[in-house]
Each structure stands twice: as structure tokens, then as C-alpha cells.
Amino acid sequence: MTEPDLSALRERAADSDADAMDELTELAAERGELNELRRLADAGSADATDELIQLAAEQGNIDELRRLSDGGNATATDQLIELATEQDDMDELRRLADGGNITAAEQLEELTAE
């Protein structure tokens, strides 16, 4: 896709064209464009948010998952806990547990018991 085509697609998406939003989301996910997905997610696209969470998890991007989790996204929180557990990131699990997340507390307890 050429840059002018992409710009036109972004304009359509900005004008609430659902098809353009879907196309942009799909394109950004295929290209692994975290910033584009973030922009679309922040504009309210649930599909872009889902793709952003998936891509961030695949890339091991704890910061992005934390940002989404702190914004109240439960799926991002689940992925963050999973990633933190895989990476033995006790600080992140402790932060989530201290915030009241029972799953993080359980994972932290499990890891510290080993």
C-alpha cells in the first residue's frame, strides 16, 4: 500500500468509517506496527486493542501491556501476568498483587515457594 493510500485510509478511519478502521487494524497487525495499533485502540477500536495486546504479548512488551492493564483492560492484565510469570518478574507480579489482583498474588506465591 502506498503512503497516499494509507493516508486516505487513515482519514476515512478518522471519519468513523468502520471498514477503514478494520482495514487499518488488519494492516497494522500484519506489519507488527505497535504505534498504529495503539493509535487505533486509543481511538476506540476494540479490534485494534485486541491486536495490540496480542502483538505486545508476542513481543514481550511488558510496558505496553502494563499501560493497557493500568487503563482497565482485563485481557491485557491476564497477558501481563502470564508474561511476568514466564520472565520471573517478581516486581511486576508484586505490583499487580499489591493492587488487588488475586491471580498475580497466586502466581507470586507459587514462584516464591519454588
Side-chain angles (χ1 to χ4, degrees), residues 4-112:
D5 291 340
L6 190 55
S7 292
L9 192 59
R10 284 183 181 130
E11 283 181 34
R12 287 180 34 222
D15 289 337
S16 301
D17 182 326
D19 291 335
M21 184 80 76
D22 291 344
E23 191 174 338
L24 266 179
T25 297
E26 185 178 324
L27 188 60
E30 287 171 4
R31 293 180 173 182
E33 295 175 349
L34 204 64
N35 289 335
E36 185 79 29
L37 287 170
R38 185 181 303 119
R39 188 182 65 72
L40 294 166
D42 289 348
S45 171
D47 290 338
T49 301
D50 292 342
E51 291 290 346
L52 179 59
I53 292 168
Q54 182 176 336
L55 183 60
E58 288 171 4
Q59 293 178 348
N61 190 329
I62 283 189
D63 291 336
E64 186 63 32
L65 291 172
R66 183 183 304 123
R67 184 185 77 81
L68 292 163
S69 173
D70 289 351
N73 188 295
T75 303
T77 302
D78 292 342
Q79 288 296 314
L80 181 57
I81 292 168
E82 186 176 321
L83 189 58
T85 300
E86 289 172 7
Q87 296 179 355
D88 292 330
D89 188 340
M90 305 296 188
D91 291 337
E92 188 62 37
L93 290 171
R94 192 170 292 110
R95 185 185 76 82
L96 291 165
D98 289 349
N101 188 291
I102 294 169
T103 304
E106 290 170 350
Q107 288 298 319
L108 185 61
E109 185 178 324
E110 221 175 276
L111 288 173
T112 54

